[in-house]
Every structure is written in C-alpha cells, then in structure tokens.
Amino acid sequence: MEIPTLTTGDITLRAIDEKDIAALFTLFSHEKVVRFMDIERFVNVSEAVQLISFFREKLASGEGMRWAITITGHNELIGTCGFHHINRTHYKMELGYDLLPSWWGKGIMINSIHRLLQYGFEELLINRIEAYVDPANINSYRLLKRLGFEQEGQVRQAFFQKGKFVDAFITSLLQKDYKYDMQF
C-alpha cells in the first residue's frame, strides 16, 4: 500500500519522508500540539526519525496511513493527519490529526480532514471512521462536529497518558451520513 497524494483547494496531503524530520520535530516538540496526546513533547530529533519509521511500519502492516499536511506549492510539513487502527474486516478505522499552532483557525485542518474522509469513504470503501477526543480538547471536538461526527458516549479513563488516566469522547462518522459537498 502506498500513500497517495491528495489535494483540496490550496492544501496538499502527501507521504511523509526523511525530508520532513526537522518539521516533524518542530511540530511534536510544541507543547500545544501534544497537550492532549499520549506522547510527550519531543526533545530530540531522533524521535522524529523514529516516528517516520513507526508510520512506515503501520503502513506496511496495513494498520495505518499518515499524511503530511502542506500548503500547495510549499512542500514543508505543517501538520499530519491520517488513519490508524484500520480494521478491514469491520470496514472501520480511527482518525488522528495535528497541526502547528501558527496555522490554527485558518481552515487548514477542516479541509484536510474533509479530503481525508472523502478518500476513506470513496477509495478505501470504509463504512465507519472513529475519533477519540479528550473532553477538554474543545477545538478538536468542535472540528469533528463540523465535519458531521456524532458523539456516541464518553469512555471513562480510556487512556493512561502523561501519568494519569483520562476520559475520551468517542465520536464517529458513517459513510451513509458523510456529506461529500460540505462547504466551510
């Protein structure tokens, strides 16, 4: 399986590779980016190298796909998005995403995820895309709601991260409910 290049408006989603090491390090060393994640802030560039290897392993095993988010015409990674926990037997997978804070509020993520959902439903023929979100991560929750995700419930102490148990909202979007022609 390969990561196809996907475009929408002025956004290009492309494969992540070694030229992205410095940008990945910048992204994941930012405290605001990793605040609600189960990883610590990067402190060594080798962590970005390991992350690329991790993404490649997940792709090779069919368990995940991750794209670099870039502005068309500028090849620098400003965020990532993709699918993990891909379950082809049940036609479902989980969504994940992150973006440099300097790009927040500019429509980058909603358009990137909309394009990714289109790929998942139309090309991969997935039926259900899930996303877990920390109840305190209001911006992420709002993003998912705008894209049509429905909250199905709250999973208590769903994850152990950064030394404590945290709850998560479980949200999902079904293929039959996805609106391909959404305008943002």
Side-chain angles (χ1 to χ4, degrees):
M1 184 181 281
E2 288 189 25
I3 298 286
T5 299
L6 307 173
T7 59
T8 180
D10 61 350
I11 299 165
T12 299
L13 307 178
R14 62 159 175 81
I16 298 171
D17 61 29
E18 281 72 21
K19 69 179 171 285
D20 297 313
I21 291 171
L24 277 173
F25 176 73
T26 299
L27 177 67
F28 288 105
S29 63
H30 204 295
E31 185 59 42
K32 286 183 177 180
V33 172
V34 300
R35 178 177 174 204
F36 297 108
M37 293 182 169
D38 61 353
I39 61 171
E40 295 292 339
R41 186 176 64 80
F42 283 8
V43 294
N44 190 304
V45 74
S46 67
E47 293 168 296
V49 174
Q50 291 169 358
L51 187 60
I52 291 173
S53 294
F54 175 78
F55 290 154
R56 286 187 176 148
E57 289 168 15
K58 291 300 180 185
L59 181 64
S61 69
E63 297 174 20
M65 304 175 79
R66 199 73 173 197
W67 283 261
I69 300 171
T70 68
I71 302 301
T72 302
H74 304 279
N75 205 28
E76 185 166 346
L77 178 150
I78 61 170
T80 74
C81 60
F83 303 121
H84 48 277
H85 301 298
I86 296 174
N87 185 323
R88 297 216 185 263
T89 301
H90 298 292
Y91 297 86
K92 68 179 184 174
M93 56 193 169
E94 187 179 329
L95 175 68
Y97 47 86
D98 42 72
L99 187 67
L100 283 169
S102 59
W103 292 96
W104 291 1
K106 297 180 180 355
I108 302 294
M109 191 55 76
I110 198 159
N111 286 298
S112 297
I113 299 303
H114 181 60
R115 181 62 183 99
L116 203 59
L117 295 172
Q118 183 181 20
Y119 175 74
F121 289 133
E122 290 182 3
E123 303 295 322
L124 299 179
L125 303 178
I126 293 299
N127 181 60
R128 175 186 170 90
I129 299 177
E130 301 173 337
Y132 288 88
V133 62
D134 187 316
N137 192 347
I138 295 165
N139 290 335
S140 185
Y141 183 73
R142 286 182 185 151
L143 170 73
L144 294 169
K145 294 298 278 184
R146 282 186 66 197
L147 287 162
F149 279 73
E150 291 189 26
Q151 181 182 332
E152 296 178 335
Q154 183 169 338
V155 184
R156 298 181 314 140
Q157 297 185 358
F159 302 103
F160 185 77
Q161 58 193 49
K162 300 178 181 153
K164 65 181 182 177
F165 291 102
V166 295
D167 294 349
F169 289 147
I170 173 74
T171 66
S172 71
L173 181 61
L174 303 180
Q175 184 181 51
K176 70 179 184 72
D177 298 328
Y178 178 64
K179 294 177 179 49
Y180 296 90
D181 58 351
M182 294 179 89
Q183 300 295 315
F184 306 105

